[in-house]
Amino acid sequence: MTRDGRPLPFPRAMSRCDDVSAAMAAAEKAQRYEAFVSDVLRRDLRRVQEQRDGVFEQQAQVLQLRTALTRLQEAAAPLHTQVDLGCNFFVTAEVPSPQRVFVALGYGFFAELTLPEALRHLDRRSRLLDRLSESLTRDGAKIRAHIRLVLEGLRELQGLQDPPTTSDP
């Protein structure tokens, strides 16, 4: 320091060097955070959304099957239907007693159930799929919150102003 309280020129030059190295370190950190957001968080979000979409498709299939079984339960025997043999080639079929159906349980296993049993099974499966979709929705919201948190940290690190609010990152 000089007598009048001003700093000497040498420390001032040293502080500029420190400022440059700090700026380089901040830029490197910003690049790592951006890579983390794009490589990890957005990939995880996309994976969770794809899984949730698959669960929604299964829920639609369960609902369609429940509707078909309810109509089958209300229908009088025998049941007349058309069966697709492939390549849009249909044959007429008659089911004398449509009181039992085969239900796919998963992993290649099927169970022969009565119509009321099949409807109960579909209700349980529907509840399970509801819980799974809610869990995946929560996971997606957590990942979106992490993305916003990291992006906000990047804005502070880079000294940028707040961006306009958006509904989805």
Side-chain angles (χ1 to χ4, degrees):
M1 290 253 182
T2 61
R3 290 183 195 177
D4 58 353
R6 290 184 299 163
L8 293 172
F10 181 71
R12 193 178 306 155
M14 186 93 156
S15 71
R16 272 192 238 144
C17 184
D18 290 340
D19 289 344
V20 170
S21 65
M24 288 175 51
E28 184 180 324
K29 275 186 180 180
Q31 286 178 344
R32 283 193 312 210
Y33 284 129
E34 288 171 356
F36 177 71
V37 167
S38 63
D39 295 343
V40 177
L41 292 178
R42 292 202 191 273
R43 182 192 63 217
D44 289 348
L45 180 61
R46 195 171 21 259
R47 181 185 48 81
V48 166
Q49 287 174 337
E50 288 171 359
Q51 287 177 346
R52 190 184 64 181
D53 291 344
V55 169
F56 287 158
E57 288 175 10
Q58 288 179 6
Q59 285 177 322
Q61 290 173 354
V62 166
L63 181 62
Q64 183 180 12
L65 187 56
R66 182 184 298 138
T67 303
L69 289 179
T70 304
R71 287 183 184 163
L72 191 60
Q73 198 172 20
E74 295 168 355
L79 175 68
H80 297 281
T81 186
Q82 289 189 336
V83 179
D84 186 7
L85 296 178
C87 298
N88 289 328
F89 185 74
F90 290 89
V91 295
T92 303
E94 180 178 321
V95 180
S97 176
Q99 295 305 313
R100 296 179 97 41
V101 293
F102 283 95
V103 177
L105 300 176
Y107 297 109
F109 292 102
F110 293 85
E112 183 178 2
L113 303 174
T114 63
L115 293 177
E117 290 172 338
L119 288 171
R120 283 194 306 273
H121 170 73
L122 289 177
D123 287 337
R124 285 190 298 259
R125 185 162 179 86
S126 178
R127 286 193 302 269
L128 174 72
L129 290 172
D130 285 341
R131 286 195 306 267
L132 185 57
S133 69
E134 289 170 4
S135 172
L136 289 170
T137 300
R138 280 192 305 272
D139 291 347
K142 286 178 186 176
I143 293 171
R144 279 198 274 322
H146 288 238
I147 290 172
R148 286 192 178 147
L149 179 69
V150 172
L151 291 178
E152 183 62 32
L154 275 172
R155 273 191 287 286
E156 287 181 15
L157 187 64
Q158 294 171 341
L160 300 176
Q161 295 178 353
D162 290 335
T165 57
T166 60
S167 62
D168 198 10

